[in-house]
Amino acid sequence: MASVSRQQYRAAVEKMLANYRDAEPIETKQRLYRPVLIAHGWCAEVHRLAEAALKLLDLGYGHEATILLRTMFETTISLHWLYQKGEAGAEGVVTEGARQNRAAAEDMETAFAPPPDVIDAIKKTPVIQTEESRTFSKVMKQCDAIDPTKALYSIYRYLCRFAHPTAASADAFIEESMNPPHVRPTPKDRESMVEVTSAMCLLWAGRAFDEMLNGKPRKRFLRAVAKEVQLAPILPYIH
């Protein structure tokens, strides 16, 4: 199998972004629209993050673009999980959001004196945890549900190294080839990581969302792109 060049990944990303922008208005095949509404927002976010990453790359900020990749990848995983779980998944997303709001309200109440009406409004929201809300609260659980081999979670962990202050993020600005090591005014080149990760996310988020729509309008196009860059056309089903 021939390797895929950085230029091929870049071309695939640009092609998918253009196709998404030109897509017709969506028609859901779901009688319950909440999962589709959430999925639409996440799919749009993945595409906008990929577009932003390319713009940063072209301006010479490839290192800074890598910081967006973790969010892009996590959103892609959550979107595929939601597509598989449907209404139960959407309920889990909403419930986990309410749980986090309540926890934040309790912390704020302890730390300072926020307006009582704000705290009361948050605390009145019912929080009934479900299996899906517990899974949604942990990226690792979502990754493992989709891929028990932990390959997806390994990618997520790797990308976290650049989204947080870590040794890896600091090392980008250190030149170890000199003795003693010198500081660098600009980071080392990891630009190909932006294009590869963007291609994966646009493909898998796009296909997951497409599965929720009448006629799966982008399925043939996205499968063709997947073949061009030798990627799986869609993430595995949850069993």
Side-chain angles (χ1 to χ4, degrees), residues 208-238:
F209 184 55
D210 198 56
E211 286 289 321
M212 305 173 79
L213 305 180
N214 280 331
K216 304 176 185 178
R218 302 181 71 222
K219 180 177 180 179
R220 182 178 296 180
F221 165 78
L222 290 173
R223 289 184 71 173
V225 174
K227 189 174 181 179
E228 291 174 7
V229 291
Q230 301 175 25
L231 288 172
I234 191 170
L235 288 174
Y237 290 96
I238 297 174

Side-chain angles (χ1 to χ4, degrees), residues 17-225:
L17 288 172
N19 179 267
Y20 182 77
R21 285 193 295 266
D22 296 339
E24 298 293 326
I26 64 172
E27 292 184 16
T28 173
K29 65 182 181 183
Q30 304 282 353
R31 295 186 64 187
L32 298 173
Y33 297 138
R34 187 162 58 166
V36 178
L37 293 175
I38 296 172
H40 164 70
W42 289 350
C43 191
E45 181 176 78
V46 168
H47 282 76
R48 288 180 64 85
L49 285 171
E51 195 162 12
L54 288 191
K55 289 181 178 179
L56 284 170
L57 197 61
D58 292 343
L59 289 170
Y61 292 93
H63 171 78
E64 289 70 25
T66 62
I67 297 170
L68 302 179
L69 301 183
R70 197 284 302 265
T71 299
M72 195 190 307
F73 189 78
E74 181 178 353
T75 305
T76 297
I77 295 298
S78 293
L79 175 48
H80 184 82
W81 174 84
L82 176 64
Y83 140 61
Q84 295 277 293
K85 291 296 183 177
E87 178 59 27
E91 180 63 29
V93 173
V94 173
T95 298
E96 175 57 16
R99 186 196 68 79
Q100 291 184 1
N101 284 344
R102 176 172 289 189
E106 291 171 353
D107 289 343
M108 287 190 294
E109 199 172 25
T110 302
F112 57 94
D117 57 322
V118 174
I119 298 298
D120 291 343
I122 294 173
K123 286 187 173 182
K124 285 178 182 177
T125 303
V127 177
I128 304 174
Q129 286 192 292
T130 64
E131 179 183 347
E132 284 75 19
S133 70
R134 293 186 184 93
T135 299
F136 182 69
S137 69
K138 303 289 184 182
V139 178
M140 182 174 70
K141 290 183 179 180
Q142 296 174 59
C143 288
D144 289 351
I146 298 168
D147 173 34
T149 70
K150 295 191 177 296
L152 292 176
Y153 188 62
S154 295
I155 297 172
Y156 172 78
R157 290 181 65 188
Y158 180 78
L159 295 175
C160 283
R161 298 168 70 230
F162 306 100
H164 300 296
T166 62
S169 63
D171 180 67
F173 293 89
I174 300 172
E175 185 56 67
E176 291 104 344
S177 63
M178 306 178 74
N179 189 16
H182 281 48
V183 296
R184 296 170 54 99
T186 57
K188 299 168 187 171
D189 179 17
R190 290 195 183 93
E191 295 179 353
S192 60
M193 188 167 70
V194 175
E195 288 140 340
V196 174
T197 307
S198 296
M200 289 192 300
C201 292
L202 291 177
L203 177 61
W204 295 337
R207 278 293 288 117
F209 184 55
D210 198 56
E211 286 289 321
M212 305 173 79
L213 305 180
N214 280 331
K216 304 176 185 178
R218 302 181 71 222
K219 180 177 180 179
R220 182 178 296 180
F221 165 78
L222 290 173
R223 289 184 71 173
V225 174

